[in-house]
Amino acid sequence: NVFSGNIISDNYYGVSLYSSSNNVFSGNIISDNYYGVSLYFYSNGNMFFHNNFHDAVQASSDSVSVWNYSNEGNYWTNYTGQDLNSDGIGDEPYPINADNQDDYPLMGIFSDFNVILKSKVYHVTFICNSTVSDFSFKIGEETGNKIIRFNVTGEDDTVGFCRVKIPTELMNYPIIILGGEEEIIPTLLGISNETYVYLYFTYIHSIQTITLISSKTLHLYNELLDKYLRLQMDLYNLNFTYYDLLSNYAAFLGNYSQLQQSYLALNFSYQEHLLSYSENVRNFRNLAYIFAATTAIFLITTIYLSRRAHRGITTKTTVVEDDR
């Protein structure tokens, strides 16, 4: 069985289950009873979440049940825990007995309001330490803005808070929040996703009217701003790459200048070696000429002397023969 949206009050037992399992209780006001919930005789596996308890004995059970759903539990008026991270959920569990506890107790009263838009029903839920009333939704005729407005009441000059869950199909973030005429800066909770926006904000209870506005113009402005910031980042990265390339080019130019100087020095050395080689070739050629001339003179002299020696021997032989 599913029990939701009921006001259960002024009874000895607000809810009493006897050997009854797998029931779901959500979105109920269970108050001013002696026992808010009593579970007995194997009443296991029941689920309680988004209920508001204000009873003499909030819950009693000899069975094991679940006391939260999707990280949200119930509001217990005698819960003494804190909310140091400001998300509307208590930091410590609410103990019922050794086998049962609410791991995500609510810090304020749970409220659920319906919005019908284009034949579709949307649920806007609140966890709030104020009394929420006169909830309304409308679309601005001229601007097309979607507007939620509601009243909050509490002890004057005390701090109130609201944790609001809004379907993104109904209203897209960014959402402007006004407390009276002044803007309230909300916190976008980390559990927000493509389906739901979770906002947490605080105010002073002297404020009586809270307005949430989803502006088409602001949404377009934020889209353009996001694109502009991305373009700025791309430009920054491009400039960084350009200066990096410029630095590399300067280094390359320095290396090129060094190479050019080395080339000129090498070319100068080559020219010197070329001149030395030409001079050596010229000297070698001259030596060759001298050697050839010397050899020729030597050969001519040798031949000349040989002929003269031969002639002298021939003349002496002739004289000897004549003497005979």
Side-chain angles (χ1 to χ4, degrees):
N1 304 291
V2 176
F3 299 86
S4 63
N6 301 288
I7 298 174
I8 305 170
S9 62
D10 298 314
N11 304 286
Y12 187 76
Y13 291 105
V15 175
S16 179
L17 300 184
Y18 185 85
S19 190
S20 182
S21 300
N22 302 319
N23 302 286
V24 177
F25 289 80
S26 68
N28 302 290
I29 299 173
I30 305 173
S31 64
D32 299 320
N33 306 287
Y34 186 79
Y35 286 99
V37 174
S38 298
L39 310 177
Y40 293 106
F41 199 68
Y42 302 111
S43 295
N44 295 303
N46 296 287
M47 180 178 289
F48 295 84
F49 66 96
H50 290 166
N51 301 289
N52 299 313
F53 288 96
H54 187 182
D55 304 282
V57 178
Q58 306 282 37
S60 176
S61 176
D62 66 0
S63 308
V64 179
S65 291
V66 178
W67 299 89
N68 51 79
Y69 174 74
S70 189
N71 296 337
E72 292 185 0
N74 305 275
Y75 173 64
W76 312 87
T77 53
N78 61 344
Y79 177 65
T80 58
Q82 294 180 298
D83 181 19
L84 298 179
N85 61 347
S86 299
D87 64 353
I89 305 297
D91 298 333
E92 301 88 26
Y94 176 82
I96 297 170
N97 56 33
D99 298 319
N100 294 272
Q101 69 177 22
D102 185 346
D103 292 324
Y104 303 97
L106 309 183
M107 296 300 295
I109 297 171
F110 178 83
S111 304
D112 185 353
F113 297 94
N114 295 337
V115 174
I116 300 175
L117 181 64
K118 296 180 180 179
S119 301
K120 189 171 181 178
V121 179
Y122 298 93
H123 291 269
V124 179
T125 63
F126 295 84
I127 298 169
C128 191
N129 66 344
S130 309
T131 300
V132 179
S133 61
D134 297 328
F135 176 91
S136 65
F137 172 84
K138 70 176 184 178
I139 298 176
E141 294 181 0
E142 296 181 358
T143 62
N145 294 340
K146 296 177 180 179
I147 303 170
I148 288 176
R149 183 175 285 113
F150 56 94
N151 292 335
V152 290
T153 54
E155 187 178 347
D156 284 347
D157 298 323
T158 59
V159 178
F161 79 84
C162 274
R163 169 188 168 118
V164 185
K165 175 184 174 183
I166 306 173
T168 54
E169 283 189 10
L170 181 65
M171 297 176 74
N172 288 327
Y173 192 79
I175 294 174
I176 301 171
I177 300 179
L178 300 177
E181 299 296 326
E182 296 185 3
E183 184 175 1
I184 298 173
I185 305 301
T187 299
L188 177 66
L189 299 180
I191 58 174
S192 300
N193 52 46
E194 294 181 355
T195 306
Y196 294 102
V197 171
Y198 290 80
L199 300 175
Y200 180 91
F201 56 93
T202 60
Y203 46 87
I204 303 299
H205 270 128
S206 56
I207 296 173
Q208 294 185 347
T209 303
I210 303 293
T211 306
L212 281 66
I213 304 172
S214 178
S215 170
K216 282 185 175 182
T217 304
L218 183 61
H219 182 68
L220 179 60
Y221 167 77
N222 278 275
E223 284 186 346
L224 292 174
L225 182 62
D226 182 63
K227 291 179 180 179
Y228 169 73
L229 291 175
R230 277 188 279 139
L231 284 173
Q232 269 197 327
M233 183 58 67
D234 292 341
L235 179 61
Y236 171 79
N237 292 332
L238 187 62
N239 282 335
F240 181 80
T241 303
Y242 167 74
Y243 285 115
D244 188 46
L245 289 173
L246 195 62
S247 176
N248 292 334
Y249 171 74
F252 172 77
L253 193 60
N255 293 334
Y256 172 75
S257 297
Q258 290 180 356
L259 287 173
Q260 196 172 35
Q261 290 176 2
S262 299
Y263 166 75
L264 292 174
L266 185 63
N267 188 52
F268 180 76
S269 177
Y270 169 73
Q271 295 296 331
E272 286 185 339
H273 284 294
L274 190 62
L275 290 174
S276 178
Y277 172 76
S278 298
E279 186 176 352
N280 289 334
V281 168
R282 189 165 50 251
N283 292 335
F284 177 77
R285 189 183 300 117
N286 292 336
L287 288 174
Y289 290 155
I290 292 171
F291 177 76
T294 304
T295 303
I297 293 170
F298 174 77
L299 291 175
I300 293 171
T301 303
T302 302
I303 294 171
Y304 172 75
L305 293 175
S306 297
R307 287 182 177 178
R308 287 193 63 180
H310 179 71
R311 287 178 184 172
I313 294 171
T314 304
T315 303
K316 288 180 180 181
T317 302
T318 306
V319 170
V320 170
E321 287 179 355
D322 291 337
D323 288 340
R324 287 178 182 179

